[in-house]
Amino acid sequence: MRFGKTLRTSIYPPWKDHYIEYSKLKKLLREEKAASSPSSATPDTKDVDADEWTEEDERVFAEELLGAQLEKVNNFQSSTYQNLRDRTSRCEAELEKVADNGKDSGEQKQGLISADARKKLLEDVQQQLDSITKETNELEKYSRINFTGFLKAVKKHDRKRGSNYKLRPALQVRLGTLPFNSEDYSPLLFRLSAMYSYVRENLSGDAPPHPPPPEIQVHPGVDTYTSQKFWVHPDNLMEVKTYILRRLPVLVYNPQSSKFAESSQNDPTITSIYFDDPEFSLYTQKVDRATDASSLRLRWFGQLRGDIEPEIMLEKKTIAGDESSEERFPIKNKYIMPFIKGEYKMEKTIQRMQDRKGSRSGVDKIDQYEKTVDDIQKLIQSKGLQPVLRANYARTAFQIPGDSRVRVSLDTNVALIREDALDEDRPCRDPEKWHRSDIDDAKMEYPFSAINKGEVVRFPYALLEIKTRDGARKKNDWVSELMNSHLVKEAPRFSKFVHGVATLFEDYVNSFPFWLSEVDKDIRKDPDEAFVEEQERKAKQAQDELAVGSFIGSKGSPAFNKAIGSPVGKAHHLASSPRSASQISHKSSSAKLPAKPRPEVVEEDSDEEEVPSHTEAVSKGLQSMFPMFTSKYGRSHQYGGVQLPPGVRHPGQLIKDSGPVRVEPKVWLANQRTFIKWQHICVLLASLSLALYNSAGKDNDIARSLAIVYTLIAVFAGVWGWSLYIYRSTLIRERSGKDLDSLWGPIIICISLVAALCLNFSLKYQAVLQNREASKNQMIPSSNTTATVPNIASEALRMLKQS
């Protein structure tokens, strides 16, 4: 079916004026004129027709496609989605009246809603919910069909008029700024589902207020789990691998033995061959998110023509929401074509199982096996399925042996290859065979350079898939941390089968997945930006949960608290301009919602007095001026009792206390280096005091006293350095968690040196004043001078007489 006809049949009548005008774009491309020209036209005629496409024609078409049409579709999608959210909020407000009415006591009769009015209100809300649900479904179809229309129009342009200009890159850029195709309707559907449940319970009157969750029945051969998929950029691949292997071991696959595996073995290569009919109905169901959309594939490890024939698994995978289930059974190479044609029903395998059956469980296992085989063969026969696509990739699996609660797989070197026989004149595969012999016989490997360009596409990123069951995600916080980190990009409902069909069979299908426009983008994210996006997403989720929990009686947090450990560089920006959940506008809408004050959390049972804000500011200011009084460990613990945000729990013990601490040699060398520095200070001060003492004369008591003071300081430095070295060596040897900071030693040395210098200056200054005073009083009278001369003369005569 041509896309123009598909578009006309997909239009929702109330919105018919807001769809892409595909026929107008075809007229601008003059496709009718090009199509009406005979195919046997001469080269000169074709050149003349090509010359008619001018720069002005290119400008008009680009403005119409990337400007008018794209903005029209994006604005309508954004306004319609916002209108649906507003209508949902009004329905929640109406249901809150019913919920508050049921909570009132018997004494408060005034203002209560009567039973008839209550029933009428619930019925009106149910009608509104039906309308919102229908329009939400139509809006998702609207976005998808218009997204496909833009890709089809660009493809026609680049193929017919793209000799000078290619519009595909420009469309990718515009879709990044006007992302009408990337809307996630899951939060809105979650709110609608909660309101539907509440309305049904209150209208029926006999349903329990909180129905138990449905039980998951696990059957042999059927595996049920929750799966999340992500893209990983090659630059982040090694970091993701090392992050995972610290929590989960690598699951090594060895085709020769299940017990022994070589450590030098490379990641196993997996080949999957997907089935579909010529109309690609399975592909369309998966793209349109049909209920119980299924896919069928053959899968094996290694080379099909290797030394050892690999085990081939025939698998049917069904996806319903986030839940996936698989049915599989092994089949040999020689039985695949007879099984596809309906000539073989695995009778030999069933007979062997019946010969070995013993207990009741064995009988149930045989019955389940027969049912799985019959279901898969009926699917092939009823839809006329045939192999159409091959996916080849190298897989690194992470899993604890014997524990399948958390399974992580990382696929690299992903190549998607055509495996169809749709073109009878030039089939890619022999119709009488179920696989391409040219690939398997030649044992081709990635990047499959020998295959024609139009038959292979290489996916540019690695694929990360995390499978959890039994609530394992809540018990393993590292899984959520990895999923919300900047290392991965979320790719919900991504499928190798869907991507391969959309890129290799685009002329055969009229619907494309939303992620197709993001493949050519750079998915790497700045850690700070990734953190901000995560906080906004959690705040929006908290707002939706609070709105739902207000009338279903669940306990919700009144506000979302941003994570304490926000990245440096963004934390101050976030703190200076906080945004509540209601301020976060949708990415596709340029309108901003009005800001609302963040509700304060009041502690009713607190016995502590409230400290004024200016006191805290002064304290922080003093600490910033004198950081030596508080160590980094002390600063990290001074704000104890921090309230954790929703979903975050206290680890119980620190990482350093979780087990034996490995002490590296550099820790010992750092301790010894610090001791040598202290001894250097000791020797320096001792040399100064010795030089000062020896240079001072017998009458210079000030210099000798200062020399003794410096000697005492040097002795203290030597004793402190030695004791600190012994203390730290003991802590390191015992793997103690105590702080290694030592603040008092340097403080005492500095204060002592400053005091000695001040004392030296004071004493010297006093000596100078005394000398100046003595020089003033040295004025002796002349009478005293003459009186002393006879005394000196008589003393000289006395000495001469004695001689």
Side-chain angles (χ1 to χ4, degrees):
M1 183 184 296
R2 300 179 63 87
F3 178 74
K5 185 177 180 180
T6 303
L7 178 61
R8 288 192 296 271
T9 57
S10 303
I11 289 179
Y12 182 52
W15 301 345
K16 61 180 180 179
D17 296 333
H18 302 283
Y19 284 79
I20 180 176
E21 300 180 51
Y22 191 70
S23 58
K24 181 179 181 180
L25 295 175
K26 291 173 62 177
K27 290 180 181 179
L28 292 177
L29 280 176
R30 305 174 197 167
E31 188 183 26
E32 291 81 0
K33 181 179 179 180
S36 62
S37 60
S39 58
S40 60
T42 63
D44 296 337
T45 305
K46 292 183 179 180
D47 292 340
V48 171
D49 182 69
D51 292 339
E52 293 179 358
W53 186 257
T54 62
E55 295 281 348
E56 181 65 19
D57 297 331
E58 184 71 30
R59 184 188 63 81
V60 172
F61 180 81
E63 290 181 353
E64 180 66 25
L65 176 68
L66 304 180
Q69 296 295 326
L70 189 57
E71 290 179 358
K72 179 182 71 173
V73 172
N74 180 77
N75 292 337
F76 179 77
Q77 190 273 340
S78 301
S79 60
T80 304
Y81 183 72
Q82 186 61 41
N83 181 37
L84 292 175
R85 288 182 59 89
D86 295 340
R87 291 167 60 187
T88 303
S89 300
R90 288 195 292 268
C91 290
E92 291 169 347
E94 294 295 328
L95 292 181
E96 284 180 3
K97 298 179 182 178
V98 179
D100 295 339
N101 180 76
K103 295 177 184 178
D104 290 337
S105 61
E107 298 178 358
Q108 298 175 345
K109 296 295 184 180
Q110 186 176 1
L112 294 182
I113 304 176
S114 62
D116 295 338
R118 183 172 179 271
K119 182 178 180 180
K120 186 178 184 305
L121 189 148
L122 290 173
E123 291 176 351
D124 294 341
V125 170
Q126 188 175 20
Q127 293 179 359
Q128 296 177 22
L129 292 178
D130 293 338
S131 175
I132 295 174
T133 304
K134 180 182 178 181
E135 292 190 11
T136 302
N137 184 32
E138 294 295 338
L139 184 61
E140 196 273 339
K141 295 180 180 179
Y142 169 88
S143 301
R144 187 176 304 281
I145 194 66
N146 282 280
F147 174 69
T148 304
F150 284 110
L151 293 183
K152 290 282 187 180
V154 166
K155 179 185 175 183
K156 285 182 178 294
H157 170 272
D158 293 349
R159 185 169 54 187
K160 298 179 179 296
R161 307 296 185 183
S163 57
N164 297 325
Y165 302 99
K166 301 290 185 182
L167 290 183
R168 184 67 176 264
L171 178 64
Q172 304 290 351
V173 175
R174 287 289 290 166
L175 288 177
T177 57
L178 302 174
F180 74 91
N181 60 312
S182 61
E183 183 62 68
D184 184 12
Y185 299 94
S186 299
L188 181 59
L189 295 178
F190 169 73
R191 298 169 63 182
L192 294 174
S193 175
M195 285 188 287
Y196 265 121
S197 300
Y198 183 79
V199 171
R200 285 195 303 267
E201 293 172 5
N202 283 268
L203 286 178
S204 61
D206 54 355
H210 298 286
E215 296 182 357
I216 299 177
Q217 299 180 355
V218 181
H219 302 282
V222 182
D223 193 7
T224 305
Y225 51 85
T226 301
S227 174
Q228 288 86 20
K229 298 181 180 180
F230 305 87
W231 295 349
V232 182
H233 194 277
D235 293 349
N236 299 330
L237 186 59
M238 183 57 64
E239 188 172 356
V240 171
K241 284 186 177 181
T242 54
Y243 181 88
I244 298 174
L245 63 85
R246 288 199 297 267
R247 281 87 179 175
L248 294 178
V250 177
L251 189 63
V252 181
Y253 172 79
N254 187 4
Q256 298 181 357
S257 173
S258 60
K259 296 181 180 179
F260 303 100
E262 299 178 0
S263 60
S264 59
Q265 179 181 342
N266 296 328
D267 293 333
T269 300
I270 301 179
T271 303
S272 299
I273 293 183
Y274 293 92
F275 288 71
D276 209 337
D277 55 12
E279 290 77 22
F280 292 93
S281 60
L282 297 185
Y283 165 84
T284 304
Q285 289 178 4
K286 291 181 70 68
V287 173
D288 294 340
R289 299 184 181 183
T291 305
D292 297 334
S294 302
S295 62
L296 187 67
R297 68 181 179 183
L298 290 165
R299 188 178 67 160
W300 68 88
F301 288 81
Q303 294 288 347
L304 188 63
R305 302 300 188 189
D307 299 333
I308 301 177
E309 184 177 350
E311 182 183 38
I312 303 176
M313 300 294 296
L314 183 57
E315 301 176 344
K316 176 187 175 184
K317 187 176 182 180
T318 304
I319 299 178
D322 290 334
E323 297 291 333
S324 302
S325 63
E326 291 184 358
E327 298 177 281
R328 65 172 72 90
F329 62 88
I331 185 173
K332 292 185 178 181
N333 184 0
K334 59 183 179 180
Y335 296 135
I336 293 179
M337 278 307 293
F339 183 85
I340 294 175
K341 295 179 180 180
E343 301 172 357
Y344 179 68
K345 299 181 180 296
M346 306 299 295
E347 292 91 349
K348 294 183 178 180
T349 304
I350 295 174
Q351 184 62 40
R352 287 196 301 266
M353 295 176 66
Q354 290 177 350
D355 295 339
R356 294 194 300 264
K357 70 178 180 179
S359 60
R360 178 62 185 174
S361 60
V363 177
D364 295 340
K365 185 176 181 181
I366 294 174
D367 295 340
Q368 180 62 37
Y369 182 84
E370 291 179 346
K371 182 179 181 300
T372 301
V373 171
D374 187 61
D375 291 345
I376 293 179
Q377 194 167 52
K378 284 183 178 179
L379 178 65
I380 296 175
Q381 296 297 319
S382 61
K383 293 184 175 292
L385 303 182
Q386 57 178 296
V388 295
L389 181 71
R390 174 187 294 242
N392 184 274
Y393 47 92
R395 168 161 293 184
T396 305
F398 303 87
Q399 180 183 340
I400 299 177
D403 185 359
S404 61
R405 290 177 298 176
V406 179
R407 293 182 292 170
V408 180
S409 62
L410 189 61
D411 299 338
T412 56
N413 298 337
V414 180
L416 305 172
I417 307 170
R418 290 186 60 167
E419 197 88 7
D420 65 287
L422 300 178
D423 190 351
E424 297 179 356
D425 298 330
R426 299 179 60 185
C428 298
R429 170 184 53 84
D430 186 355
E432 297 300 323
K433 296 182 179 180
W434 61 271
H435 65 97
R436 291 183 59 166
S437 302
D438 57 336
I439 298 177
D440 296 322
D441 293 345
K443 298 182 180 180
M444 292 186 186
E445 295 181 351
Y446 187 86
F448 300 95
S449 304
I451 300 180
N452 296 333
K453 184 178 180 181
E455 298 178 2
V456 60
V457 60
R458 300 166 188 87
F459 193 70
Y461 307 119
L463 301 177
L464 176 68
E465 184 175 10
I466 302 176
K467 299 179 180 179
T468 57
R469 61 167 55 179
D470 300 332
R473 178 181 172 184
K474 297 180 179 179
K475 300 177 183 178
N476 296 272
D477 295 338
W478 66 269
V479 176
S480 299
E481 292 177 1
L482 176 61
M483 294 168 58
N484 297 324
S485 68
H486 68 284
L487 301 175
V488 299
K489 174 179 174 55
E490 187 176 8
R493 300 183 68 88
F494 177 82
S495 170
K496 303 183 189 71
F497 166 61
V498 172
H499 184 78
V501 173
T503 53
L504 296 174
F505 299 91
E506 55 183 354
D507 293 334
Y508 292 83
V509 296
N510 290 324
S511 182
F512 295 115
F514 282 155
W515 68 74
L516 206 61
S517 62
E518 301 181 359
V519 175
D520 297 331
K521 297 180 181 179
D522 188 358
I523 65 173
R524 289 172 294 184
K525 295 183 293 185
D526 182 79
D528 297 343
E529 295 178 358
F531 175 82
V532 174
E533 292 178 1
E534 178 189 358
Q535 297 303 303
E536 293 180 353
R537 180 181 58 81
K538 289 183 177 180
K540 188 175 181 180
Q541 182 180 1
Q543 182 189 17
D544 293 339
E545 292 178 354
L546 181 62
V548 173
S550 61
F551 59 85
I552 65 175
S554 62
K555 184 179 180 181
S557 57
F560 168 71
N561 296 325
K562 291 186 177 181
I564 299 173
S566 57
V568 179
K570 295 289 184 182
H572 298 289
H573 172 70
L574 290 173
S576 60
S577 58
R579 294 185 296 174
S580 62
S582 60
Q583 290 177 271
I584 301 172
S585 62
H586 191 264
K587 295 180 180 179
S588 62
S589 176
S590 58
K592 301 295 182 181
L593 297 178
K596 294 182 180 180
R598 182 189 180 107
E600 299 180 357
V601 179
V602 181
E603 299 181 0
E604 298 179 354
D605 300 332
S606 177
D607 296 331
E608 298 179 359
E609 297 181 357
E610 185 177 359
V611 182
S613 58
H614 66 85
T615 305
E616 182 180 359
V618 173
S619 175
K620 292 183 179 180
L622 293 176
Q623 290 177 3
S624 62
M625 294 175 60
F626 303 102
M628 66 182 70
F629 293 101
T630 306
S631 65
K632 62 180 181 180
Y633 302 101
R635 288 194 298 271
S636 64
H637 295 290
Q638 64 182 348
Y639 301 108
V642 178
Q643 183 180 2
L644 297 177
V648 179
R649 59 182 178 85
H650 195 276
Q653 61 179 0
L654 301 178
I655 297 178
K656 64 183 181 65
D657 300 331
S658 59
V661 181
R662 179 184 175 185
V663 180
E664 298 181 1
K666 64 180 181 180
V667 179
W668 297 95
L669 297 177
N671 189 27
Q672 295 175 3
R673 184 167 57 251
T674 305
F675 171 68
I676 293 174
K677 288 292 185 180
W678 276 108
Q679 299 309 306
H680 177 72
I681 296 175
C682 175
V683 172
L684 182 63
L685 291 176
S687 301
L688 175 63
S689 62
L690 182 61
L692 184 61
Y693 188 86
N694 292 333
S695 62
K698 295 181 180 181
D699 298 333
N700 196 346
D701 297 333
I702 298 176
R704 292 194 173 193
S705 301
L706 292 175
I708 295 174
V709 173
Y710 287 128
T711 302
L712 296 176
I713 298 176
V715 171
F716 175 79
V719 174
W720 176 267
W722 171 254
S723 60
L724 186 62
Y725 171 73
I726 297 299
Y727 173 72
R728 288 178 173 174
S729 299
T730 303
L731 294 181
I732 295 173
R733 192 179 301 107
E734 295 177 353
R735 274 43 169 195
S736 175
K738 297 181 180 180
D739 296 342
L740 300 179
D741 291 353
S742 58
L743 302 178
W744 294 109
I747 292 175
I748 293 175
I749 295 293
C750 293
I751 293 176
S752 301
L753 289 177
V754 171
L757 291 176
C758 293
L759 181 62
N760 187 8
F761 177 80
S762 176
L763 296 177
K764 195 64 179 176
Y765 183 73
Q766 291 180 4
V768 170
L769 293 180
Q770 291 177 1
N771 292 337
R772 183 176 298 177
E773 188 68 24
S775 62
K776 291 181 180 180
N777 296 333
Q778 204 174 3
M779 304 293 294
I780 302 175
S782 60
S783 59
N784 296 336
T785 304
T786 56
T788 58
V789 174
N791 295 333
I792 296 174
S794 61
E795 183 66 21
L797 291 176
R798 187 179 62 80
M799 294 177 64
L800 288 174
K801 290 179 179 181
Q802 291 178 356
S803 62

